[in-house]
Amino acid sequence: MLPTGLPQGAVPRLERPGPLRERVYEALLELITTRALQPGQHLVESELAGHLGVSRQPVREALQRLNTEGWVDLRPAQGAFVHEPTEEEADQLLTVRTLLEAEAARLAALNADAKGVEVLCGIVEEGRTAVAADDVTRAVTLNAAFHAKVMELAGNAVLAELAAQVDRRVRWYYTPVAKLRGGTSWSEHSDLVDAIRERDDQKAGRLMREHTEHTRHSYHHRNEP
């Protein structure tokens, strides 16, 4: 176990050649998003470099970029730390997510074809299996896949571009509540798929709005007994 708190083998060594700087950035961002690196955790360049099998330079560059994007805080004379989101930051992000996702669901109900609905059904079944197996990591990944597919079926490129900008942060906030939401979240997904299949755009938009609001509420109450 490294002082970074990452178990040995949690991240594969990065292969070369290729854009190493970008690979290191993506690896660190994924570790933050999945909370393998926890909010507030101290990030030591040499330890991360050793874990990833690279020199300290691309790690330093990645941390500077992550700092610019708000994922990492660089503190003078202290070093780098995973950013600790405030409740206000989370609320603002999840509120915007609700607006984008509700519109995507509405449009998906108008534009989705049978094949697209079938894909959504498959993701729901996989999600339920992941919850039953208590596989939180898999459930979070499938949740993101479900919402991404709804966004794709909406058929609005501008909406999809905006949603992509917040997707990583949505996963970041969703991870600590995934177990709390559990099977309820996937039941809501299933109801949404039914509305899309029935081409009921108003119902689909309403269900997605309620679904994302449930997630926002769960995040704010995640530490309550």
Side-chain angles (χ1 to χ4, degrees):
M1 180 79 70
L2 292 171
T4 54
L6 288 172
Q8 294 282 2
V11 180
R13 290 180 179 270
L14 305 180
E15 298 180 1
R16 307 181 195 211
L20 188 59
R21 178 188 311 173
E22 187 68 23
R23 292 184 182 215
V24 171
Y25 163 82
E26 286 293 338
L28 293 179
L29 181 54
E30 185 66 15
L31 289 169
I32 292 172
T33 303
T34 59
R35 297 192 177 232
L37 292 171
Q38 290 285 323
Q41 188 168 338
H42 188 200
L43 303 174
V44 181
E45 287 181 8
S46 58
E47 293 168 0
L48 292 171
H51 199 69
L52 295 171
V54 299
S55 68
R56 293 176 61 176
Q57 182 61 30
V59 172
R60 183 178 300 114
E61 293 173 352
L63 291 176
Q64 289 171 345
R65 179 176 172 184
L66 290 167
N67 172 67
T68 300
E69 296 175 355
W71 293 99
V72 167
D73 297 328
L74 297 179
R75 304 173 188 170
Q78 295 183 52
F81 296 81
V82 178
H83 179 64
E84 295 185 74
T86 66
E87 293 297 305
E88 183 179 6
E89 287 174 351
D91 194 68
Q92 290 179 1
L93 189 284
L94 294 174
T95 297
V96 170
R97 182 232 186 173
T98 294
L99 296 173
L100 297 174
E101 296 277 1
E103 179 62 9
R106 188 187 72 79
L107 291 174
L110 296 175
N111 299 321
D113 56 14
K115 183 177 180 181
V117 172
E118 183 180 350
V119 171
L120 289 177
C121 288
I123 297 174
V124 169
E125 290 308 309
E126 289 186 58
R128 284 175 163 160
T129 299
V131 169
D134 201 26
D135 189 343
V136 175
T137 299
R138 179 66 175 159
V140 171
T141 299
L142 288 166
N143 181 73
F146 179 87
H147 286 272
K149 186 61 181 180
V150 171
M151 189 64 64
E152 176 189 326
L153 295 175
N156 187 309
V158 175
L159 187 64
E161 182 179 352
L162 292 172
Q165 293 177 25
V166 302
D167 175 67
R168 229 51 189 269
R169 291 190 186 277
V170 168
R171 287 176 58 197
W172 193 31
Y173 294 130
Y174 184 72
T175 296
V177 302
K179 194 166 187 176
L180 179 64
R181 293 282 279 132
T184 301
S185 179
W186 292 98
S187 293
E188 293 169 4
H189 284 159
S190 182
D191 291 342
L192 177 60
V193 174
D194 288 341
I196 292 174
R197 181 189 291 111
E198 295 162 4
R199 296 195 175 281
D200 190 335
D201 63 316
Q202 295 304 309
K203 183 178 180 181
R206 175 178 59 79
L207 289 175
M208 180 65 91
R209 186 176 300 104
E210 292 172 353
H211 171 70
T212 53
E213 281 297 297
H214 289 159
T215 297
R216 186 169 71 94
H217 183 271
S218 295
Y219 181 85
H220 287 308
H221 296 275
R222 66 195 180 281
N223 296 321
E224 295 181 2

